[in-house]
Amino acid sequence: HRRTLLQSAGLVAVSTLTGCGFKLRGAQTFAFKTIFVSGVEASPLLTELSRAMESGGEVKVVTDGKLLDTAQVVLEVVSDQREKSVVGVTSSGQVREFQLRLRFKFKLRSKEGKELIAETELLQQRDISFTESAALSKEAEEALLYRNMQSDIVQQIQRRLAALKTL
């Protein structure tokens, strides 16, 4: 009896989620097969973006300028910045809280030069508390927050690129 009740509850949950339009995010499909990425060298964000784009097997990411002619579209990275600013201090003037920001500006054009996505800035920010006694653990937490922001921006870029229907 209990098993039947659990199965019916599961069916109700599944039918409710599918009825509201919910579906798991699948692999992105793009209107291009090759993309040239230019701009900031050795950027961890661009490395993650390249891996994510190539993981589906449909898109080849080109970074060598000699192979620019083989790419259908060009992703120009205008800037990729990590920022850290103080947003809170104690009464004695010691830092209590930081704000971390990850800013990424890019534009996309066809290899002929037609603008497909105008210059766009994506910004992620997180607040992090700080105590001098836990400086090492806060440093690790900061690195983790930057990685999370980076992954969020990579997903946003992929969604914007997948929204292109035609070149």
Side-chain angles (χ1 to χ4, degrees), residues 111-143:
K111 70 178 178 183
E112 293 82 25
K114 178 184 170 194
E115 186 175 86
L116 301 171
I117 298 177
E119 187 171 304
T120 304
E121 180 179 75
L122 301 175
L123 172 67
Q124 289 282 313
Q125 60 187 34
R126 304 282 190 278
D127 292 335
I128 181 173
S129 62
F130 182 78
T131 54
E132 193 65 41
S133 61
L136 284 176
S137 65
K138 288 299 178 178
E139 190 175 302
E141 183 182 356
E142 180 180 321

Side-chain angles (χ1 to χ4, degrees), residues 52-67:
M53 299 273 300
E54 289 183 332
S55 69
E58 292 183 18
V59 176
K60 180 169 178 22
V61 178
V62 178
T63 54
D64 185 357
K66 296 172 191 165
L67 301 174

Side-chain angles (χ1 to χ4, degrees), residues 84-104:
K84 181 177 180 179
S85 59
V86 176
V87 292
V89 292
T90 63
S91 58
S92 61
Q94 292 181 318
V95 174
R96 186 176 52 98
E97 190 172 8
F98 286 107
Q99 185 174 72
L100 308 175
R101 282 187 222 96
L102 187 55
R103 233 178 255 280
F104 187 78

